[in-house]
Amino acid sequence: MEKVDRFTATILSPGGVRAQYGIYGKRAAGPRACPRKGVGTPGWPLAPRNARAQTLVLNDRGRPSMVAAHMESRRQGHSPRLALVPGLRRSRRRGACAGAALALGLVALASASRAEDPAAWLAGPDATGDWGGERTKLDEHGVHFDVTYTSEVFTRDFEAVKYRGDADLMLTVDTAKAGMWKGGTLFGYAQDDRGDGVSPHLGLVMPVSNYEAPAFTQLSELWIYQQLPAGFALRLGKQDANRDFASPRFGGNFLNSSFGVLPTAPMPSFPAPALGASLFAQPASWLSLRGGVYDGSSRSESFAGSAFNHGGGVFAIGAARLEQGLDGPRDIVWQVGGWHLSGDNRSGGFAVGDLFVHMPVTDAHPDPRTFQFFVRTNFEPDAKSGPDGKVAKVYVGGGATAHGFFGKNNTVGLGSGYVSVEGADETFLELFFKWRPLAWFTIEPDAQLYFDGNDTHVVIGLRTKLKL
């Protein structure tokens, strides 16, 4: 590689291993190198913060990554089985105090980093810098922290205005680098989500924002991932099924919830991941298989209080993933699978396809420019009426994004989704522009147009994300 751009991206692999990947100004001739065994397969390595690794799936700046950004992909969607646990005001106050203390500590670390090297701080991947070199040392010993704060404001039909804020703290431990055992990853994810959305008043099947949920403070995920002999891998614990099943690679920059979790499938995901186990296998370089079994009655703000209770049943899902190369080895990916929820006796099938297109690097355009396309569907032939009385049998959605055409680090996208709802089909269009003035700060204006039966709604929003 001849040139490394100043921007890097944090990628979460199926094994939960985080690595820092650079955006290359020029591509090497021939097949594109990849530091892991394959997209969608377990066992990605943990790279140091200055590693010149390359990834093949779109990250949040338009470079490829399995999931553009873990927080975005895991939250996208609306859980039809959401139920809050009452009486948690005291724990929320404690969470707020702990969050304030953490924020003050991070600000102090950021001040120290700026004092050491302001230029490196501005060009680095995190607003709090390298903590005087301690962050790099932690990474080298297999310990990686991610802290982000996302805020957004939406107006519906130029009347209702709503604000939301979400704080995320993630800890990833590579057990081999930490001196424990080989092939393991430990992962913990804490969240605090506050504010209101504009969707509940309209009763939308596909909410406007992938952050929309009743306010909560919780430990969203806590699991262990282990590579096994013969190319197998296993993840155990409280986890988000959306990470491994039905999530498009290139939907993470969109704000609408339907580009993440399938809006018509009861998949354990944001805001209620579930206890469960998932198994991965790769019988061929172009084929990977995966399956998972999860608690069928997961709830927000509950770790295991109702796990696998008699009425909730079990959510089981399986999929096959096929990969094909064009300019790169995995520019086309197809995933086909099915799911079943025993408690409600519901079953369905889904499919996801996406395409990554590289534009030639020339003297006139030395920076990477790429197009990304994706489409997916979910079909539940025997769908029953939900709590809102709506019956949604078919979902179809997709989108296209372009990176590097309006500023080398910016992304623009256009997408749409459709749900067949008994008596009132629902369709939306979304257009966004994601501006990245700094590697650790993004500003994203967004516009959505809804067609809900005979009603039409206009939604305008703005999201900012700060990576600490």
Side-chain angles (χ1 to χ4, degrees), residues 53-223:
Q54 183 157 343
T55 182
L56 297 177
V57 290
L58 185 66
N59 63 30
D60 134 0
R61 276 178 304 283
R63 301 297 295 168
S65 103
M66 176 188 170
V67 180
H70 175 58
M71 282 86 65
E72 295 182 13
S73 65
R74 74 173 300 281
R75 297 192 208 88
Q76 294 198 17
H78 176 72
S79 173
R81 299 173 292 108
L82 174 64
L84 291 178
V85 177
L88 291 173
R89 293 180 180 176
R90 184 177 303 171
S91 65
R92 288 175 181 171
R93 287 197 296 268
R94 288 197 297 265
C97 293
L102 175 63
L104 290 174
L106 291 172
V107 168
L109 289 168
S111 299
S113 297
R114 291 196 299 271
E116 292 174 5
D117 189 348
W121 167 66
L122 288 172
D126 304 293
T128 56
D130 197 23
W131 304 348
E134 293 302 316
R135 206 165 192 164
T136 294
K137 291 179 182 178
L138 287 171
D139 280 347
E140 291 172 350
H141 289 84
V143 179
H144 186 87
F145 288 94
D146 275 310
V147 184
T148 64
Y149 185 78
T150 304
S151 62
E152 63 182 25
V153 59
F154 280 97
T155 176
R156 183 191 70 241
D157 298 327
F158 305 100
E159 296 176 353
V161 178
K162 300 293 183 180
Y163 170 83
R164 293 193 67 85
D166 182 270
D168 298 276
L169 171 61
M170 292 187 287
L171 170 65
T172 307
V173 179
D174 183 321
T175 59
K177 288 190 174 183
M180 292 184 281
W181 68 87
K182 294 183 179 180
T185 302
L186 304 175
F187 181 73
Y189 184 12
Q191 285 184 283
D192 182 80
D193 191 277
R194 289 288 176 267
D196 298 309
V198 298
S199 302
H201 175 73
L202 303 177
L204 298 175
V205 178
M206 299 178 289
V208 167
S209 169
N210 47 36
Y211 283 88
E212 285 197 28
F216 64 85
T217 300
Q218 67 181 14
L219 180 61
S220 295
E221 296 190 66
L222 183 64
W223 47 256

Side-chain angles (χ1 to χ4, degrees), residues 360-386:
V361 175
T362 65
D363 292 338
H365 299 284
D367 296 309
R369 296 176 302 150
T370 58
F371 289 102
Q372 301 81 32
F373 306 90
F374 68 93
V375 62
R376 65 185 188 143
T377 183
N378 182 68
F379 176 62
E380 185 178 355
D382 300 319
K384 301 177 179 63
S385 176

Side-chain angles (χ1 to χ4, degrees), residues 219-242:
L219 180 61
S220 295
E221 296 190 66
L222 183 64
W223 47 256
I224 179 173
Y225 170 91
Q226 182 62 48
Q227 298 180 36
L228 303 173
F232 287 89
L234 178 68
R235 185 184 354 257
L236 293 172
K238 187 180 183 183
Q239 54 190 290
D240 188 335
N242 182 52

Side-chain angles (χ1 to χ4, degrees), residues 6-8 60-61 72 121-128 147-152 409-410 433-444 462-468:
R6 68 187 182 92
F7 282 84
T8 58
D60 134 0
R61 276 178 304 283
E72 295 182 13
W121 167 66
L122 288 172
D126 304 293
T128 56
V147 184
T148 64
Y149 185 78
T150 304
S151 62
E152 63 182 25
N409 301 306
N410 304 325
F433 178 75
K434 195 164 191 175
W435 177 41
R436 300 176 178 88
L438 296 168
W440 39 264
F441 183 63
T442 62
I443 301 174
E444 183 173 0
L462 179 69
R463 174 180 290 179
T464 63
K465 177 169 284 189
L466 177 65
K467 187 175 184 298
L468 299 169

Side-chain angles (χ1 to χ4, degrees), residues 292-315:
V293 178
Y294 308 89
D295 171 24
S297 58
S298 60
R299 300 183 301 176
S300 177
E301 291 192 310
S302 173
F303 188 83
S306 61
F308 299 100
N309 64 29
H310 179 71
V314 173
F315 180 84

